[in-house]
Amino acid sequence: MVTTKVLMGNHAVSWGVMRARVQMISAYPITPQTQIVEELSEICASGRLDAKFIKVESEHSAMASVIGASAAGVRAFTATSAQGLALMHELLHWAGLGRLPVVLVDVNRAMAPGWSIWSDQTDALSQRDTGLMQWYCETNQEVLDGVILGYKVAERVRLPLMLVLDAFLLSHTYEPVEVPDEESVDAFLPPYRSEYKLDLAKPAAFGPLTSPEHYMELRYRQQLAFEEAVDVIIEEGKRFREAFGRDYGLIECYRCEGAEVAVLCAGSMTATARETVDQMREEGKPVGLIKLRVFRPFPTAILRAALVPLKKVAVLDRNISAGAEGIFAQEVKAAMCNVPSAPEIHPYILGLGGRDITPNTIRTALETTLESKTRNDIPIWLELKE
């Protein structure tokens, strides 16, 4: 049974956590994610979720708490944004290489200074090498579904997951969301049973001093888990569709049949790009859209198959690797390197610090790429003030 509710993105997270029957929640407030843990505190207080709700004094402690809980075999959750995520940095590595399937929600927010509370993907993407899967959401439905599906995948491959949604554009925006009943979610996502956990009956050491004789193999097995995660995401995405009617792969190709140029993006701007592609298609322009939903594991083979038929790709980055270029553009270029007949990659920087991304912004990127006579290796900054 499904109930349709009008939920803001932050509360879609909370309802997903409740339906996933998370057993431990660690909370420290930071705008714009605070409503996630506020709602969860009320859910726990009312008895609708039987979970331990722990208030801590910093984001570092929040991540440390969920690491401890997950190591003890408990399904654990926390949420943060921007500077809070940066404060978690050390412990993200501990969760990643410790192979602990926690789910962390990051509400994308620009890094300071200048002090900002608005959307920007740089906070999440600057943590790309810490060993967490990263999934980006377009809608509030995808947010709720991502929490439930995220635990299913994370617990199968024993990797933590960072689920990412844009500040205010999703976090504080209300949309209709289908909320499945508890029995349906229970059938899809059974209770967490960890093969390896802290257990007084079976004493073992976790994360001890590791000599050069063994450390490299730990990293290799982590890499194998990320490779396995590609197939598991596809497999569990199909099971999710059978259970709830919605399918989630690693990428989505939209109106790419016959397209010469596609825009590639992630997060809430995908909805704007989708509308823009529809308008330009009606004008007879050969454009399409590729939505990057999963950034880690990076879907190299799937992306190559999708991009090779195109002549050009406009990569939209709401982020910047200072001194280089947008991070999605970097990764797409690396994936297409040495691929015969690879399309031209045209990088764009836009929307930093929450600046609006409108249909006209997307149209400018697509038309500039369509009309370009040469490859643009240097990113073009869209709607930059003089």
Side-chain angles (χ1 to χ4, degrees):
M1 179 178 176
V2 171
T3 303
T4 300
K5 295 180 176 293
V6 179
L7 296 175
M8 66 163 64
N10 280 343
H11 288 176
V13 174
S14 309
W15 277 78
V17 170
M18 179 170 62
R19 285 293 186 262
R21 296 192 189 276
V22 168
Q23 298 162 286
M24 181 272 185
I25 299 159
S26 187
Y28 187 79
I30 182 171
T31 302
Q33 78 78 20
T34 302
Q35 291 157 323
I36 295 174
V37 291
E38 282 181 342
E39 178 79 349
L40 284 170
S41 71
E42 295 178 5
I43 288 172
C44 290
S46 67
R48 288 179 286 164
L49 177 63
D50 182 17
K52 184 73 173 178
F53 188 92
I54 301 176
K55 295 177 290 183
V56 293
E57 76 284 2
S58 73
E59 288 87 352
H60 191 278
S61 296
M63 197 64 206
S65 300
V66 295
I67 285 173
S70 186
V74 168
R75 186 172 286 162
F77 171 84
T78 191
T80 191
S81 294
Q83 311 300 130
L85 183 64
L87 188 55
M88 289 180 172
H89 174 77
E90 176 204 359
L91 290 163
L92 297 181
H93 285 279
W94 276 94
L97 198 50
R99 307 287 303 277
L100 300 171
V102 302
V103 170
L104 158 70
V105 165
D106 176 54
V107 182
N108 267 155
R109 167 183 144 177
M111 298 298 294
W115 200 247
S116 171
I117 58 172
W118 291 278
S119 190
D120 189 301
Q121 299 161 332
T122 308
D123 63 343
L125 290 168
S126 64
Q127 305 296 338
R128 61 178 164 176
D129 300 326
T130 53
L132 277 71
M133 295 186 286
Q134 282 197 22
W135 298 1
Y136 287 76
C137 299
E138 178 184 352
T139 66
N140 291 347
Q141 183 69 64
E142 194 170 340
V143 169
L144 183 142
D145 293 345
V147 174
I148 297 168
L149 180 58
Y151 276 110
K152 188 70 180 293
V153 172
E155 291 170 2
R156 273 194 62 182
V157 297
R158 293 189 291 118
L159 288 172
L161 166 68
M162 183 188 300
L163 189 71
V164 184
L165 60 148
D166 288 330
F168 299 104
L169 299 165
L170 289 186
S171 68
H172 289 62
T173 300
Y174 284 79
E175 295 177 346
V177 176
E178 292 186 1
V179 181
D181 60 30
E182 293 173 341
E183 291 73 20
S184 301
V185 178
D186 289 347
F188 176 78
L189 178 67
Y192 177 43
R193 298 282 185 263
S194 176
E195 184 178 357
Y196 308 103
K197 64 180 181 179
L198 296 168
D199 186 346
L200 293 175
K202 297 179 180 178
F206 292 81
L209 179 67
T210 305
S211 70
E213 184 180 359
H214 300 293
Y215 183 85
M216 195 164 169
E217 283 69 29
L218 290 177
R219 298 308 298 248
Y220 179 65
R221 288 173 184 171
Q222 181 190 41
Q223 181 67 14
L224 291 181
F226 271 92
E227 293 173 8
E228 179 190 2
V230 172
D231 293 333
V232 172
I233 291 168
I234 295 170
E235 183 180 327
E236 292 299 343
K238 290 178 180 175
R239 288 177 178 164
F240 192 92
R241 180 184 61 193
E242 293 169 2
F244 305 109
R246 294 176 292 279
D247 190 2
Y248 296 105
L250 287 87
I251 68 169
E252 177 194 346
C253 297
Y254 179 73
R255 301 197 73 168
C256 287
E257 303 82 8
E260 296 180 3
V261 174
V263 62
L264 185 150
C265 58
S268 65
M269 78 168 86
T270 307
T272 309
R274 202 182 293 276
E275 178 69 18
T276 306
V277 166
D278 285 343
Q279 293 173 3
M280 294 181 71
R281 276 285 186 161
E282 290 176 7
E283 298 166 9
K285 296 180 178 175
V287 298
L289 163 67
I290 295 177
K291 168 182 171 178
L292 183 65
R293 195 180 77 83
V294 173
F295 176 68
R296 285 289 185 274
F298 196 77
T300 301
I302 297 169
L303 204 56
R304 284 177 175 170
L307 298 192
V308 162
L310 300 164
K311 293 182 177 178
K312 303 174 185 177
V313 180
V315 180
L316 307 185
D317 274 297
R318 193 174 211 150
N319 64 80
I320 178 74
S321 176
E325 59 182 323
I327 294 169
F328 290 140
Q330 285 180 331
E331 300 258 353
V332 172
K333 287 179 178 178
M336 302 308 293
C337 180
N338 297 329
V339 175
S341 304
E344 295 179 7
I345 307 299
H346 293 246
Y348 295 88
I349 304 292
L350 69 169
L352 301 185
R355 185 166 297 182
D356 282 344
I357 298 174
T358 69
N360 282 339
T361 317
I362 307 287
R363 177 182 286 268
T364 298
L366 279 168
E367 290 182 342
T368 301
T369 305
L370 273 168
E371 295 166 4
S372 175
K373 303 298 183 186
T374 59
R375 184 193 306 265
N376 293 327
D377 288 326
I378 300 174
I380 295 174
W381 291 60
L382 296 175
E383 300 177 353
L384 186 68
K385 295 178 181 176
E386 295 291 337

